[in-house]
Amino acid sequence: MSEIRLVVYGAEEKCASCINLPTAYETKEWLEAALSRKYEQENVKVDYVDIHGSYGDEHQSYVNAILEDEYFYPLIVFNDEVVGEGNPRLKTIYEKIEASR
């Protein structure tokens, strides 16, 4: 069984340009549910990193990029590649996962 692992970066409050969108944590839950349905035979793991909380050094560059307004959050990363930000598109994420196989 293979593993699909993504990281969702964000904060409890919504970003200024994402007023009508779900929070980053809600996006993490939605993404995890959608991926688990599509890839039910695989181990799907979606981690959430709060940009204002504690996190490991491996997340520092993405957190800094968000805090410096290089990216909107929620920011979704798969295999160290940004696959979505702000209002992520599930189709794009699926395409990146399929391309990595």
Side-chain angles (χ1 to χ4, degrees):
M1 180 183 338
S2 62
E3 180 178 71
I4 297 171
R5 184 179 206 121
L6 289 95
V7 180
V8 176
Y9 294 88
E12 288 184 31
E13 72 274 357
K14 296 179 182 185
C15 74
S17 64
C18 304
I19 298 301
N20 295 319
L21 299 175
T23 65
Y25 192 80
E26 291 168 336
T27 299
K28 176 248 186 227
E29 291 177 327
W30 161 78
L31 186 58
E32 193 167 43
L35 292 172
S36 293
R37 280 191 304 272
K38 180 165 177 78
Y39 301 103
E40 58 188 71
Q41 300 300 318
E42 300 177 56
N43 184 18
V44 174
K45 179 101 167 107
V46 181
D47 294 324
Y48 173 73
V49 175
D50 186 329
I51 61 173
H52 300 298
S54 58
Y55 45 84
D57 290 339
E58 70 272 16
H59 302 292
Q60 189 66 50
S61 64
Y62 288 113
V63 170
N64 286 345
I66 292 169
L67 294 175
E68 294 170 3
D69 295 327
E70 291 178 42
Y71 292 115
F72 293 114
Y73 60 87
L75 179 70
I76 301 168
V77 176
F78 173 67
N79 288 344
D80 206 31
E81 178 184 353
V82 173
V83 295
E85 67 175 305
N87 185 14
R89 293 179 36 105
L90 196 53
K91 181 180 177 185
T92 303
I93 295 168
Y94 286 159
E95 289 170 355
K96 294 291 185 176
I97 291 170
E98 292 299 324
S100 74
R101 298 175 150 214

